[in-house]
Amino acid sequence: MTKPEVIADPAAWQARCRADRDAGARIALVPTMGYLHEGHLSLLREARRRADEGGRRGIATASIFVNPTQFGPSEDLSRYPRDLEGDLAKCAAAGIDRVLAPADPRAMFAPDHETWVSVERASEGLCGASRPGHFRGVATVVAKLLHLTRPHVALFGEKDFQQLAVIRAMVRDLFMDVEVAGMPIVRDADGLALSSRNAYLSAADRPRALSLSRALFEARDAAARGERDAGALRARARERIAEAGARVDYVEIVDPRTLAPVVRAEPGARMLVAAFVGPTRLIDNVSLR
Ligand code: AMP
């Protein structure tokens, strides 16, 4: 298990990745905000696998950067959990070769930074409605990371389903030469979707947090039994989450490609929820098959 090369300076990172690409290497990138868990690790292992595809020299890379521009003024930027040493050990175990870890956010967003990537339609509604500016921050930092790294493939989790749609739209609209790979949600044994923010949950919060996945699974089972009424499925899920003592932000059923709300939950429709457990905002989603 070799330690990954850790680079803090974006320009040095860009030079290293450019040299690899020029030498014919295949590059995979996993952007993260760190405090890595099994969900991130599934992306990192897949990055290793995808980098090695095709018989070329593979370089599996990850970034660890808590991006200030995707946090709202009243959100948890200053207390977002961090553990760079632990993260690097996990990257090593997953076979990651190189990690971009800017020590200072100004390395990525200089004080005179003035360019933003705004993905309009995909950022509307859902998390975009309750977190104004969030997806502008996400799209901008991911655009920077893709330009710095120029990976052949970049991997993202379906856990952040709207984020994945925003990034796919950005890559399509800006003709970015990269494959975007979406990866399934990794859950705890009890069903809770893994998230760095689960670190905020107390033992008493746990049943409240679990109500999100329980509500989604119940809807998935009802849809599998033939329930097609999106309004009824949403109402039941809202009830379940509220009963458990969490505060619903949204419960939606959408077309998985356009994220437009649907009236009938046809197989493949995606159900997404966001809810507050105390001050902690959690999200989760499931495909209604
Ligand atoms: P974050 O560090 O929260 O920005 O997440 C980095 C990447 O990991 C994003 O593409 C997330 O969608 C993905 N991710 C986070 N949690 C999970 C999970 N439970 N399962 C799969 N992917 C995840």
Side-chain angles (χ1 to χ4, degrees):
M1 191 168 85
T2 32
K3 277 212 151 189
E5 176 187 12
V6 184
I7 298 181
D9 175 26
W13 175 269
Q14 188 167 38
R16 289 285 284 136
C17 294
R18 184 192 296 127
D20 285 330
R21 195 166 165 128
D22 290 350
R26 184 176 152 80
I27 304 178
L29 170 69
V30 180
T32 81
M33 297 208 300
Y35 211 70
L36 303 180
H37 51 64
E38 271 300 321
H40 296 114
L41 296 194
S42 75
L43 271 62
L44 298 174
R45 290 187 208 108
E46 182 68 4
R48 174 74 271 159
R49 205 184 65 73
R50 296 295 312 268
D52 293 339
E53 245 171 25
R56 280 192 278 171
R57 190 166 75 99
I59 305 284
T61 73
S63 59
I64 297 178
F65 178 61
V66 181
N67 169 26
T69 70
Q70 68 186 68
F71 288 76
S74 58
E75 294 184 356
D76 55 346
L77 173 62
S78 61
R79 62 186 198 109
Y80 196 83
R82 294 165 203 246
D83 175 18
L84 184 58
E85 281 313 305
D87 288 347
L88 293 176
K90 289 173 189 167
C91 286
I96 294 297
D97 300 305
R98 187 177 302 151
V99 175
L100 173 64
D104 184 333
R106 284 172 297 191
M108 291 295 285
F109 290 91
D112 59 352
H113 177 274
E114 56 180 318
T115 306
W116 297 97
V117 180
S118 194
V119 180
E120 301 198 352
R121 197 191 43 76
S123 302
E124 280 169 11
L126 305 168
C127 291
S130 29
R131 303 184 71 188
H134 169 67
F135 287 119
R136 184 181 81 144
V138 169
T140 303
V141 80
V142 172
K144 286 173 189 264
L145 292 167
L146 293 176
H147 285 305
L148 287 170
T149 313
R150 290 185 54 219
H152 296 80
V153 56
L155 299 99
F156 299 88
E158 290 182 343
K159 160 83 175 7
D160 298 273
F161 199 77
Q162 187 176 16
Q163 168 174 288
L164 182 56
V166 165
I167 289 161
R168 285 194 196 283
M170 173 184 78
V171 164
R172 178 198 65 204
D173 292 347
L174 299 183
F175 300 105
M176 291 179 164
D177 186 16
V178 60
E179 177 192 342
V180 174
M183 293 287 292
I185 300 176
V186 177
R187 300 177 177 281
D188 264 338
D190 58 8
L192 183 68
L194 295 183
S195 163
S196 305
R197 290 191 167 96
N198 292 352
Y200 301 143
L201 301 173
S202 67
D205 287 336
R206 186 97 188 168
R208 293 184 199 119
L210 263 177
S211 69
L212 279 75
S213 55
R214 296 246 161 97
L216 288 171
F217 296 160
E218 192 178 296
R220 185 187 57 193
D221 294 345
R225 288 192 305 270
E227 176 63 87
R228 292 282 167 265
D229 181 346
L233 290 168
R234 291 169 53 209
R236 182 70 196 106
R238 281 184 164 272
E239 245 172 58
R240 249 241 186 255
I241 296 168
E243 272 163 18
R247 183 164 62 80
V248 173
D249 179 7
Y250 64 76
V251 175
E252 282 294 352
I253 301 178
V254 303
D255 178 302
R257 285 169 304 108
T258 63
L259 302 190
V262 297
V263 176
R264 277 180 61 78
E266 299 297 349
R270 200 94 187 180
M271 186 164 190
L272 300 97
V273 303
F276 288 91
V277 173
T280 305
R281 187 172 179 281
L282 300 176
I283 57 172
D284 198 353
N285 67 85
V286 78
S287 175
L288 303 179
R289 297 201 185 282

